[in-house]
Amino acid sequence: MNWFLAKIVYRIVCGEGDHTAQFDEQLRLIQAADENEAFDKAKAIGEQEQEMFLNQQQKLVTWQFVNVCELYKISALIDGAELYSRIQETDNAGLYMELVHKKAAHIKANNTHKYLQLF
């Protein structure tokens, strides 16, 4: 069996959909014999995990599976290996870097909290 990294894309629609288009890109680890099986498994996950629910304003929110748009075979698990890369363009570099630092601090704080719960 081989490991693959699949990008599954969902479209998020709220209410009548009269808002800026929103998509969720998820990276999933898939274990399969070959690329075809990995693609089929990723697609099945995408279809199975579509959902609909009411938000706080009682508007219907739908996560619609779009497709599997990327699939990479992971040849070896190597410490520090790059699994995914995306270039983000922004008009406000300072705001973007601030957001990155806040996310990192949140991860660090949550991990510390998790370790404290183990004792």
Side-chain angles (χ1 to χ4, degrees):
M1 291 298 254
N2 300 296
W3 285 101
F4 294 85
L5 186 66
K7 183 189 281 188
I8 299 172
V9 178
Y10 295 91
R11 181 167 187 180
I12 305 167
V13 179
C14 182
E16 298 297 316
D18 55 348
H19 53 80
T20 302
Q22 225 178 6
F23 297 90
D24 182 50
E25 298 177 348
Q26 299 181 2
L27 297 179
R28 300 291 189 104
L29 281 175
I30 306 292
Q31 189 174 29
D34 58 33
E35 195 170 284
N36 287 332
E37 182 184 353
F39 180 84
D40 291 342
K41 285 179 79 172
K43 192 169 181 177
I45 289 168
E47 291 169 347
Q48 291 167 3
E49 294 189 7
Q50 296 183 98
E51 63 179 313
M52 297 185 327
F53 57 91
L54 295 176
N55 66 12
Q56 292 176 338
Q57 290 81 35
Q58 298 303 305
K59 288 186 179 179
L60 183 65
V61 177
T62 306
W63 283 55
Q64 303 167 339
F65 171 66
V66 176
N67 217 327
V68 176
C69 65
E70 295 179 33
L71 186 66
Y72 304 100
K73 183 178 180 182
I74 300 173
S75 55
L77 296 178
I78 301 168
D79 188 30
E82 182 176 318
L83 294 179
Y84 179 76
S85 175
R86 180 178 152 216
I87 296 175
Q88 174 70 37
E89 291 186 14
T90 181
D91 292 331
N92 189 333
L95 185 60
Y96 178 79
M97 291 189 302
E98 181 182 333
L99 179 61
V100 169
H101 291 306
K102 284 182 179 180
K103 287 181 177 181
H106 180 74
I107 290 169
K108 185 74 170 170
N110 281 348
N111 283 339
T112 302
H113 183 67
K114 289 177 187 175
Y115 293 138
L116 292 174
Q117 289 178 345
L118 293 176
F119 294 115

